[in-house]
Amino acid sequence: MDPKTSPRSLISSLLDTTHLHANLRVCGWVRTFRNDRFLALNDGSTGKNLQCVVDKDALDADVLRKLNTGAAVEVHGTLVESQGGGQATELVVDALLLLGEADPEEFPIQMKRHSLDFLREKAHLRFRTNTFGAVFRLRHLLQYAVHTFFHERGFYQMHTPIITGSDAEGAGEMFRVTTLDLEDLPRNEEGGVDESKDFFGKESNLTVSGQLEAELGAMALGQVYTFGPTFRAENSNTSRHLAEFWMIEPEIAFADLKDDMALAEDCLKFVLGYVLSNGAEDLAFLEKRELDAEKQLPQVERHDAPLTARLKAVVEAPFTHLTYTEVIDILRNSKPYKKKKFKFPVEWGVDLQSEHERWLVEKHVGGPVVVTDYPAGIKAFYMRSNDDGKTVAAMDVLVPGIGEIIGGSQREERLDVLKKKCAEFNIPEEHVWWYLETRKFGTAPHCGFGMGFERLVMYVTGMTNIRDVIPFPRTPQNAEF
């Protein structure tokens, strides 16, 4: 086959000696060009570069001058064992085609360390850096692992609505979807906005969760999961919040909280194990990056173990189970509490904060923890009421380094109890009539959980800002790209 018309070879497949002496076509972006002879090429399939050996006398001088960092090229040549150190193979170039120039005076992503703040401003180009190449290859692996886990266990994926008329969380922080003319809003007799004139004939929003609709699927298909975008109009600019993010939400029928906890533990261990087995190169790069960065931090702010060791510990360790009440007692008897080092209050009925969760898993237990049976007042209306009348059958999975990574519950399957909870949460029954009817026709125990995908990617990559694990972050005052 003529190498000029042959399929493009990925650099990831050329870094060992499998394809020696083959005539190949390789495309990529120039990382460096040294001594008018050694071209480091990267195509995104791996964090490593392919060294291409160029005969400068065989190249047009104008092309040679334009082989700057960021330029796109197509090269043809023969793969041979490398004569130098640092790589097993190199490509001896027979022909080179310049596909796209990159003016070194204007191209912002040069071969030097850039701050993450700077790269967020260049989100359209930051994929070309080693750090973000590794992050987004691992994000892909995690997504594949999630789908593999549920498919192998007989779950069916559901595409739940992005536009919804219900607020699954009851928080009210939702993005409005409308076609109404905001400068000439139709009014009803009371002077309010006439929602009947809107596209859907009622108030509609971007969804905060696919859970309620997934429950409907589980009550017919047995076990389903969603993996889709969700939206929160929370005006928060912290390193842990996004306005648009992705959620993994399984729902299983004929199951209780114990089944839910077992599924969550199995899922987390599977996806972490999959990435450890299939993403070792990128994990090693990010681990070294993290260790280098931590050298600048005081010892107290450094991780207790390297990145891959932390992931392996979760895969191999049994999860500790504690009730919320037990956790409150543990926290109130802790040294940080007695020395008033916790910023947030610790008392029964108050939600746990990240500082409490991380101390529990990192200092007290030293491994993953599942916290169950939370006070009803701090959890959503759909969670099943326990017999004590004070708590609900809820659970959160906490892991070292990040705190909560999964939250779930057994769902309230009793119609009379669910109606009562709707009233307590000021949720009109006509807004969720379809949800209530699943408790009227063939109700059964069922449960599920939610795992924020970006939080999972943060945990696996060691990145400390959630904006750095999603391709184009959406945050307050920022919808660029």
Side-chain angles (χ1 to χ4, degrees), residues 319-338:
F319 285 19
T320 299
H321 289 246
L322 296 168
T323 67
Y324 168 89
T325 300
E326 289 172 333
V327 170
I328 292 297
D329 289 341
I330 290 169
L331 289 170
R332 290 178 69 87
N333 284 300
S334 70
K335 287 184 179 179
Y337 177 80
K338 292 178 179 178

Side-chain angles (χ1 to χ4, degrees), residues 447-465:
C447 57
F449 64 78
M451 176 163 55
F453 187 54
E454 280 71 31
R455 188 165 291 192
L456 174 65
V457 180
M458 282 180 70
Y459 185 60
V460 167
T461 61
M463 302 300 285
T464 57
N465 193 314

Side-chain angles (χ1 to χ4, degrees), residues 203-472:
E203 181 177 337
S204 301
N205 305 282
L206 296 180
T207 187
V208 299
S209 169
Q211 177 204 313
L212 301 189
E213 291 86 355
E215 284 188 51
L216 312 186
M219 295 304 287
L221 298 173
Q223 45 189 25
V224 302
Y225 73 103
T226 75
F227 194 150
T230 53
F231 308 84
R232 301 281 172 91
E234 183 178 357
N235 190 16
S236 176
N237 250 318
T238 76
S239 62
R240 293 165 59 89
H241 289 89
L242 290 169
E244 177 186 70
F245 54 99
W246 289 69
M247 286 289 290
I248 302 153
E249 297 175 295
E251 292 290 329
I252 44 178
F254 312 111
D256 59 16
L257 190 64
K258 290 182 180 178
D259 300 307
D260 204 31
M261 292 186 289
L263 181 69
E265 182 173 343
D266 289 348
C267 180
L268 190 57
K269 288 185 173 184
F270 180 91
V271 297
L272 296 185
Y274 187 90
V275 170
L276 284 166
S277 297
N278 295 278
E281 177 188 302
D282 287 323
L283 283 174
F285 171 82
L286 291 173
E287 179 175 290
K288 183 180 184 305
R289 177 191 174 278
E290 181 182 83
L291 291 171
D292 290 344
E294 287 189 346
K295 291 177 182 177
Q296 312 301 319
L297 299 176
Q299 189 67 40
V300 69
E301 295 183 25
R302 300 179 188 179
H303 286 95
D304 294 334
L307 178 61
T308 52
R310 299 199 303 269
L311 301 180
K312 287 178 181 177
V314 174
V315 173
E316 297 169 357
F319 285 19
T320 299
H321 289 246
L322 296 168
T323 67
Y324 168 89
T325 300
E326 289 172 333
V327 170
I328 292 297
D329 289 341
I330 290 169
L331 289 170
R332 290 178 69 87
N333 284 300
S334 70
K335 287 184 179 179
Y337 177 80
K338 292 178 179 178
K339 293 183 178 181
K340 303 185 185 302
K341 290 190 175 181
F342 287 136
K343 295 180 181 179
F344 294 93
V346 179
E347 56 187 70
W348 202 96
V350 175
D351 208 357
L352 301 177
Q353 300 295 321
S354 180
E355 61 175 348
H356 308 139
E357 295 170 344
R358 292 193 59 179
W359 178 86
L360 182 71
V361 294
E362 295 168 21
K363 304 301 181 184
H364 182 73
V365 174
V369 177
V370 184
V371 181
T372 62
D373 303 311
Y374 283 82
I378 60 174
K379 290 297 183 180
F381 81 99
Y382 51 73
M383 296 187 178
R384 194 182 199 277
S385 297
N386 288 329
D387 293 339
D388 60 15
K390 299 188 301 180
T391 62
V392 290
M395 66 92 182
D396 287 341
V397 179
L398 315 179
V399 293
I402 197 169
E404 181 192 339
I405 197 166
I406 292 175
S409 72
Q410 185 172 339
R411 314 313 190 188
E412 183 56 77
E413 87 280 9
R414 298 164 294 187
L415 180 60
D416 58 335
V417 178
L418 189 57
K419 283 187 173 184
K420 182 180 178 182
K421 296 188 79 170
C422 283
E424 292 172 354
F425 280 78
N426 296 314
I427 299 173
E429 289 187 18
E430 59 269 23
H431 288 187
V432 290
W433 64 269
W434 45 272
Y435 187 71
L436 294 172
E437 281 203 352
T438 60
R439 277 68 173 173
K440 184 178 179 182
F441 306 126
T443 191
H446 59 290
C447 57
F449 64 78
M451 176 163 55
F453 187 54
E454 280 71 31
R455 188 165 291 192
L456 174 65
V457 180
M458 282 180 70
Y459 185 60
V460 167
T461 61
M463 302 300 285
T464 57
N465 193 314
I466 199 167
R467 301 173 192 187
D468 297 328
V469 297
I470 192 168
F472 305 104

